[in-house]
Amino acid sequence: MNTNLSKYIMLVDDNQDDVDLTIMALKHNQIANEVKVAFNGQEAVDMLLNDDDAPLPAVILLDINMPKLNGLETLKILRSHERTRTVPVVILTSSQEEQDLLAGYRSGANSYIKKPVDFENFTEAIRQLGMYWLALNELP
Amino acid sequence: MMRINKILTPLSIALLYAVFGSIWILYSDRLVASLSTDMEMLSQMQTYKGWFYVVITAIPLFLLIKAHQRLVLESAQLLQATEKKYEHLFLSNPHPNCVLDPETLGFILMNRKFIQTFGYSVRELNKHTIHHIISSKDHAKLSKVVNTTLTTGEQEEPIILRGELKNKSTISVELMFYEIRVQGQVSLLCQMRDVTAELLNREQVRELTEHLERTVDERTRQLSSVNEELESFTYSVSHDLRAPLRAIDGFSKAIAMDNRNHLTEESQEYFKRVRKASQRMSQLIDDMLRLSRITRASVAVKMVDLSIIASEVIATLDVCKSAIVTIEDDVMANADEGLMRILLNNLLSNAVKYSSNVETPEIHFGKKTLDGQDVYIVRDNGVGFNNADSTKIFKPFQRLHTESEFSGMGIGLATARRIVTRHGGEIWVDAQTGSGATFYFTIGFRLNN
């Protein structure tokens, strides 16, 4: 049994609608992992780095465009700390800009997914994402 | 002839004559006396001898005078030619020229243009030195250049000084001094050129260029700031407009699902429409972004075979079996290959789409030359449209048909126009309702054969 299934998923997104839709899509796909939400990058950094004993998530779903600390800055901070260097980070964003895609991978993202507008497509994207990062992927 | 004349100077002629005469006087009588002793005979021979002498001296005299006459004539012609040269080189030279005394720098000779330029009469000028017509601020420079010319024999390069006319106005003159010899006397030839207009023009050109550069800089700055704004606008469109749409689509789906047993069929249908509308809007956003991306795309120009691209594009389109597609061979353009593919895809897919209701659709791609310029043509025999709308259709999201007639977003031709504009060309259309449309476009980058 993959230990990822017992770990939580961290969702970093400033848009309550997107947060709810993502949780809805996770539920829809019977992904039962606990979901912790950070509403901006700073919150995520605080949650992950302030307490060295706090458990790490199986995967971080990170939006790019956020107030205070945006997704790319957040990612750079996480990658610069030993504790969070290897945590899988999936950029989940509305942006289709080539520059964001490139910057995302350069900052150390493991994956880059564009959120589709169509809810069915969005649910499918979340299903595959959950399948891969929670069931198939092995962590160090 | 010249050599003989040189040898036979008047003195040598006189000497020769004297020697010949003396010899004749000394020996001719003896010669005659040795021939006969008869007195009558001798007297007759003496007379012949006298005639003979006259004849023998008259002939060279005649020849010499004739040669002299010719020489005089030739010299006169030479003089005339020299005068003519002088006339051309100096007097009617189109630039002001003068000859100066090298010591006093007083005027010796002035040509017509000189008199005309400075406005003084010859008599007035003869009383002055060149300093009189050069601004006193430039006298030091003048002295320096005159000294160089007189010591080294030539001036290194022309010098520009301020000249003062009789009417007190100032002109700019370019001066060049030469040391020349006139009848053995050293003189200074001063050749001038009035460069006032030239300098003024140069100054104006410089000012205009500067102004132009400033304007270009300013425009470039404005343009790049507009581009930056456009960039951030595009970014926020890409990101921020999609999020609410996703919420509309997702939550209406959730409501419809959660309440599927309580909602009437009509309400279910309305939720479907809400979702369809939001998805269509998302499609519009994507198209708009694609359009703006083409505006920002870099254009890598090279020789492109449009015939090949057109054939490849046609192969990907859903063309009716009955359709007649003609593509001219070897239609070349100097353009960006990727953008040409998008352009031809948009034009040809339109041609296929709008001719799909015709019994035998005809689609043509080719080229013709109009006023020396290559014009590319995409023609169909489909539904066409009212030619009055021919400029409207290149605007983004302008559609002439309802979604139920022909599907589409109204972005294809706007994209086509942007691509053509990026290539420095033009695009236009000729259409008629019911009898098809012909699109023409040009590419600004010329083919270099």
Side-chain angles (χ1 to χ4, degrees), chain B residues 63-108:
Chain B
L63 289 174
L64 283 169
I65 289 173
K66 204 176 170 199
H68 178 71
Q69 207 176 17
R70 192 174 298 157
L71 187 72
V72 169
L73 206 70
E74 273 173 12
S75 315
Q77 278 168 349
L78 200 70
L79 189 68
Q80 216 175 359
T82 313
E83 271 174 3
K84 205 150 206 157
K85 265 188 223 159
Y86 166 71
E87 165 80 23
H88 287 316
L89 284 173
F90 187 77
L91 286 183
S92 27
N93 190 300
H95 299 293
N97 280 352
C98 63
V99 177
L100 304 173
D101 183 309
E103 275 163 36
T104 62
L105 296 184
F107 289 108
I108 298 173

Coordinates of all heavy atoms in Angstrom, one line a residue, chain B residues 63-108:
Chain B
L63 N 60.9 81.2 -99.3 CA 60.5 80.1 -98.4 C 60.6 80.5 -97.0 O 59.7 80.2 -96.2 CB 61.5 78.9 -98.7 CG 61.2 78.2 -100.0 CD1 62.3 77.1 -100.2 CD2 59.9 77.6 -100.1
L64 N 61.6 81.3 -96.7 CA 61.8 81.7 -95.3 C 60.7 82.6 -94.8 O 60.2 82.5 -93.7 CB 63.2 82.4 -95.1 CG 64.4 81.4 -95.0 CD1 65.7 82.2 -95.1 CD2 64.3 80.6 -93.8
I65 N 60.3 83.6 -95.7 CA 59.3 84.5 -95.3 C 58.0 83.7 -95.1 O 57.2 84.0 -94.1 CB 59.1 85.6 -96.3 CG1 60.3 86.5 -96.3 CG2 57.8 86.4 -96.1 CD1 60.4 87.6 -97.3
K66 N 57.7 82.8 -96.0 CA 56.5 82.0 -95.9 C 56.4 81.2 -94.6 O 55.4 81.2 -93.9 CB 56.4 81.0 -97.1 CG 55.0 80.7 -97.3 CD 54.9 79.8 -98.6 CE 53.4 79.3 -98.6 NZ 53.2 78.2 -99.4
A67 N 57.6 80.6 -94.2 CA 57.6 79.8 -93.0 C 57.4 80.7 -91.8 O 56.7 80.4 -90.8 CB 59.0 79.1 -92.9
H68 N 58.0 81.9 -91.8 CA 57.9 82.9 -90.7 C 56.4 83.3 -90.5 O 55.9 83.3 -89.4 CB 58.7 84.1 -91.0 CG 58.6 85.1 -90.0 ND1 59.1 85.0 -88.7 CD2 58.0 86.4 -90.0 CE1 58.9 86.0 -88.0 NE2 58.2 86.9 -88.7
Q69 N 55.8 83.5 -91.7 CA 54.4 83.9 -91.7 C 53.5 82.8 -91.0 O 52.7 83.1 -90.1 CB 53.9 84.0 -93.1 CG 52.8 85.0 -93.3 CD 52.4 85.2 -94.7 OE1 52.8 84.4 -95.6 NE2 51.7 86.3 -95.0
R70 N 53.8 81.6 -91.4 CA 53.0 80.5 -90.8 C 53.3 80.4 -89.2 O 52.3 80.2 -88.5 CB 53.5 79.1 -91.4 CG 52.6 78.0 -91.0 CD 52.9 76.7 -91.8 NE 52.8 76.9 -93.2 CZ 53.5 76.1 -94.1 NH1 54.3 75.2 -93.6 NH2 53.3 76.3 -95.4
L71 N 54.5 80.6 -88.8 CA 54.8 80.6 -87.4 C 54.0 81.7 -86.7 O 53.5 81.4 -85.6 CB 56.3 80.8 -87.3 CG 56.8 80.7 -85.8 CD1 56.9 79.2 -85.5 CD2 58.2 81.3 -85.7
V72 N 54.0 82.9 -87.3 CA 53.3 84.0 -86.6 C 51.8 83.6 -86.5 O 51.2 83.8 -85.4 CB 53.4 85.3 -87.5 CG1 52.5 86.3 -87.0 CG2 54.9 85.8 -87.4
L73 N 51.3 83.0 -87.5 CA 49.9 82.6 -87.5 C 49.6 81.6 -86.4 O 48.6 81.7 -85.6 CB 49.5 82.0 -88.9 CG 48.0 82.1 -89.2 CD1 47.6 83.6 -89.5 CD2 47.8 81.3 -90.5
E74 N 50.5 80.6 -86.3 CA 50.3 79.6 -85.3 C 50.4 80.2 -83.9 O 49.6 79.8 -83.0 CB 51.4 78.5 -85.4 CG 51.0 77.4 -86.4 CD 52.1 76.5 -86.7 OE1 53.1 76.5 -86.0 OE2 52.0 75.7 -87.7
S75 N 51.3 81.1 -83.7 CA 51.4 81.7 -82.3 C 50.1 82.5 -82.0 O 49.7 82.4 -80.9 CB 52.6 82.7 -82.3 OG 53.7 82.1 -82.9
A76 N 49.6 83.1 -83.0 CA 48.4 83.9 -82.8 C 47.2 82.9 -82.3 O 46.5 83.2 -81.4 CB 48.0 84.6 -84.0
Q77 N 47.2 81.8 -83.0 CA 46.1 80.8 -82.7 C 46.3 80.3 -81.3 O 45.4 80.1 -80.5 CB 46.1 79.7 -83.7 CG 45.4 80.0 -85.0 CD 45.6 79.0 -86.0 OE1 46.5 78.1 -85.9 NE2 44.9 79.1 -87.1
L78 N 47.6 80.0 -81.0 CA 47.9 79.5 -79.6 C 47.5 80.5 -78.6 O 46.9 80.1 -77.5 CB 49.4 79.2 -79.6 CG 49.9 78.3 -78.5 CD1 49.5 76.8 -78.8 CD2 51.4 78.3 -78.4
L79 N 47.8 81.7 -78.8 CA 47.5 82.8 -77.9 C 46.0 82.8 -77.7 O 45.5 82.9 -76.5 CB 48.0 84.1 -78.4 CG 47.9 85.3 -77.4 CD1 48.8 85.1 -76.3 CD2 48.2 86.6 -78.1
Q80 N 45.3 82.7 -78.8 CA 43.8 82.8 -78.7 C 43.3 81.6 -77.8 O 42.4 81.8 -77.0 CB 43.2 82.6 -80.1 CG 42.0 83.5 -80.3 CD 41.6 83.4 -81.8 OE1 42.2 82.8 -82.6 NE2 40.5 84.1 -82.1
A81 N 43.9 80.4 -78.1 CA 43.4 79.2 -77.3 C 43.7 79.4 -75.8 O 42.9 79.1 -75.0 CB 44.1 78.0 -77.8
T82 N 44.9 80.0 -75.6 CA 45.3 80.2 -74.2 C 44.3 81.2 -73.5 O 43.9 81.0 -72.4 CB 46.7 80.8 -74.1 OG1 47.5 80.0 -74.9 CG2 47.2 80.8 -72.7
E83 N 44.0 82.2 -74.3 CA 43.0 83.2 -73.7 C 41.7 82.5 -73.5 O 41.0 82.8 -72.5 CB 42.9 84.3 -74.7 CG 43.9 85.4 -74.5 CD 43.8 86.5 -75.5 OE1 42.9 86.4 -76.4 OE2 44.6 87.4 -75.5
K84 N 41.3 81.6 -74.4 CA 40.0 81.0 -74.2 C 40.0 80.1 -72.9 O 39.1 80.1 -72.1 CB 39.7 80.1 -75.4 CG 38.3 79.8 -75.6 CD 37.9 79.6 -77.0 CE 36.4 80.1 -77.3 NZ 36.2 80.4 -78.6
K85 N 41.2 79.4 -72.7 CA 41.3 78.6 -71.6 C 41.2 79.4 -70.3 O 40.6 79.1 -69.3 CB 42.7 77.9 -71.6 CG 42.7 76.5 -72.2 CD 44.0 75.8 -71.9 CE 44.4 75.1 -73.2 NZ 45.8 74.8 -73.3
Y86 N 41.9 80.5 -70.4 CA 41.9 81.5 -69.2 C 40.5 81.9 -69.0 O 40.0 82.0 -67.8 CB 42.8 82.6 -69.6 CG 42.7 83.8 -68.7 CD1 43.2 83.8 -67.4 CD2 42.1 85.0 -69.2 CE1 43.1 84.9 -66.6 CE2 42.0 86.1 -68.4 CZ 42.5 86.1 -67.1 OH 42.4 87.2 -66.3
E87 N 39.8 82.2 -70.1 CA 38.4 82.6 -70.0 C 37.6 81.6 -69.2 O 36.8 81.9 -68.3 CB 37.9 82.9 -71.4 CG 36.4 83.0 -71.5 CD 35.8 84.3 -71.1 OE1 36.6 85.3 -71.2 OE2 34.6 84.4 -70.7
H88 N 37.8 80.3 -69.7 CA 37.0 79.2 -69.1 C 37.4 79.0 -67.6 O 36.6 78.8 -66.8 CB 37.1 77.9 -69.9 CG 36.4 78.0 -71.2 ND1 35.1 78.5 -71.3 CD2 36.8 77.6 -72.4 CE1 34.7 78.4 -72.5 NE2 35.7 77.9 -73.3
L89 N 38.7 78.9 -67.5 CA 39.2 78.5 -66.1 C 39.1 79.6 -65.1 O 38.8 79.3 -63.9 CB 40.7 78.1 -66.2 CG 41.1 76.8 -66.9 CD1 42.6 76.7 -67.0 CD2 40.6 75.7 -66.0
F90 N 39.2 80.8 -65.5 CA 39.2 81.9 -64.5 C 38.0 82.8 -64.7 O 37.1 82.8 -63.8 CB 40.5 82.6 -64.7 CG 40.7 83.7 -63.6 CD1 41.1 83.3 -62.3 CD2 40.5 85.0 -63.8 CE1 41.2 84.2 -61.3 CE2 40.6 85.9 -62.8 CZ 41.0 85.6 -61.6
L91 N 37.9 83.5 -65.8 CA 36.9 84.5 -65.9 C 35.5 84.0 -65.7 O 34.7 84.5 -65.0 CB 37.1 85.3 -67.2 CG 38.3 86.3 -67.2 CD1 38.3 87.0 -68.5 CD2 38.2 87.2 -66.0
S92 N 35.1 83.0 -66.5 CA 33.7 82.5 -66.4 C 33.6 81.3 -65.5 O 32.6 80.6 -65.6 CB 33.1 82.2 -67.8 OG 34.1 81.9 -68.7
N93 N 34.6 81.0 -64.7 CA 34.5 80.0 -63.7 C 33.2 80.2 -62.8 O 33.0 81.4 -62.4 CB 35.7 80.0 -62.8 CG 35.8 78.8 -61.9 OD1 34.9 78.6 -61.1 ND2 36.9 78.0 -62.0
P94 N 32.4 79.2 -62.6 CA 31.2 79.4 -61.9 C 31.4 79.8 -60.4 O 30.4 80.1 -59.7 CB 30.4 78.1 -62.0 CG 31.4 77.1 -62.3 CD 32.5 77.8 -63.1
H95 N 32.6 79.7 -59.9 CA 32.9 80.1 -58.5 C 33.7 81.3 -58.4 O 34.5 81.6 -59.4 CB 33.6 78.9 -57.8 CG 32.8 77.6 -57.8 ND1 31.6 77.5 -57.0 CD2 33.0 76.5 -58.4 CE1 31.1 76.3 -57.2 NE2 31.9 75.7 -58.0
P96 N 33.6 82.1 -57.3 CA 34.5 83.3 -57.2 C 35.9 82.9 -57.2 O 36.3 82.1 -56.3 CB 34.0 83.9 -55.9 CG 32.8 83.2 -55.5 CD 32.8 81.9 -56.2
N97 N 36.7 83.5 -58.1 CA 38.2 83.3 -58.1 C 38.9 84.6 -58.1 O 38.4 85.6 -58.7 CB 38.6 82.5 -59.3 CG 38.3 81.0 -59.2 OD1 38.0 80.6 -58.1 ND2 38.5 80.3 -60.3
C98 N 40.1 84.7 -57.5 CA 40.8 85.9 -57.6 C 42.3 85.6 -57.6 O 42.7 84.6 -57.1 CB 40.4 87.0 -56.6 SG 40.8 86.4 -54.9
V99 N 43.1 86.6 -58.1 CA 44.6 86.4 -58.0 C 45.1 87.6 -57.1 O 44.6 88.7 -57.3 CB 45.2 86.5 -59.4 CG1 46.7 86.4 -59.3 CG2 44.7 85.4 -60.3
L100 N 46.0 87.2 -56.2 CA 46.4 88.2 -55.2 C 47.9 88.4 -55.3 O 48.7 87.5 -55.7 CB 46.1 87.8 -53.8 CG 44.6 87.4 -53.5 CD1 44.5 86.8 -52.1 CD2 43.7 88.6 -53.6
D101 N 48.3 89.6 -54.9 CA 49.8 89.9 -54.7 C 50.2 89.1 -53.5 O 49.6 89.3 -52.4 CB 49.9 91.4 -54.5 CG 51.4 91.7 -54.4 OD1 52.1 91.1 -53.6 OD2 51.8 92.7 -55.1
P102 N 51.2 88.2 -53.6 CA 51.5 87.4 -52.4 C 52.1 88.2 -51.2 O 52.0 87.7 -50.1 CB 52.6 86.4 -53.0 CG 53.2 87.1 -54.2 CD 52.1 88.0 -54.7
E103 N 52.6 89.4 -51.5 CA 53.1 90.1 -50.3 C 52.1 91.0 -49.6 O 51.9 90.9 -48.4 CB 54.3 91.0 -50.8 CG 55.6 90.2 -50.8 CD 56.7 90.9 -51.6 OE1 56.7 92.1 -51.6 OE2 57.4 90.1 -52.2
T104 N 51.3 91.8 -50.4 CA 50.3 92.7 -49.8 C 49.0 92.0 -49.7 O 48.1 92.5 -48.9 CB 50.2 93.9 -50.7 OG1 49.7 93.5 -52.0 CG2 51.5 94.6 -50.9
L105 N 48.8 90.9 -50.4 CA 47.5 90.2 -50.5 C 46.4 91.2 -51.2 O 45.2 91.0 -51.0 CB 46.9 89.7 -49.2 CG 47.8 88.6 -48.5 CD1 47.1 88.1 -47.3 CD2 48.0 87.4 -49.5
G106 N 46.9 92.1 -51.9 CA 46.0 93.0 -52.7 C 45.5 92.3 -53.9 O 46.1 91.4 -54.4
F107 N 44.3 92.8 -54.3 CA 43.7 92.1 -55.5 C 44.4 92.5 -56.8 O 44.7 93.6 -57.0 CB 42.2 92.5 -55.6 CG 41.4 92.0 -54.5 CD1 40.9 92.8 -53.5 CD2 41.0 90.6 -54.5 CE1 40.1 92.2 -52.5 CE2 40.2 90.1 -53.6 CZ 39.7 90.9 -52.5
I108 N 44.7 91.5 -57.6 CA 45.3 91.7 -58.9 C 44.2 91.4 -60.0 O 43.9 92.2 -60.9 CB 46.5 90.8 -59.2 CG1 47.6 91.1 -58.2 CG2 47.0 91.0 -60.6 CD1 48.8 90.2 -58.2

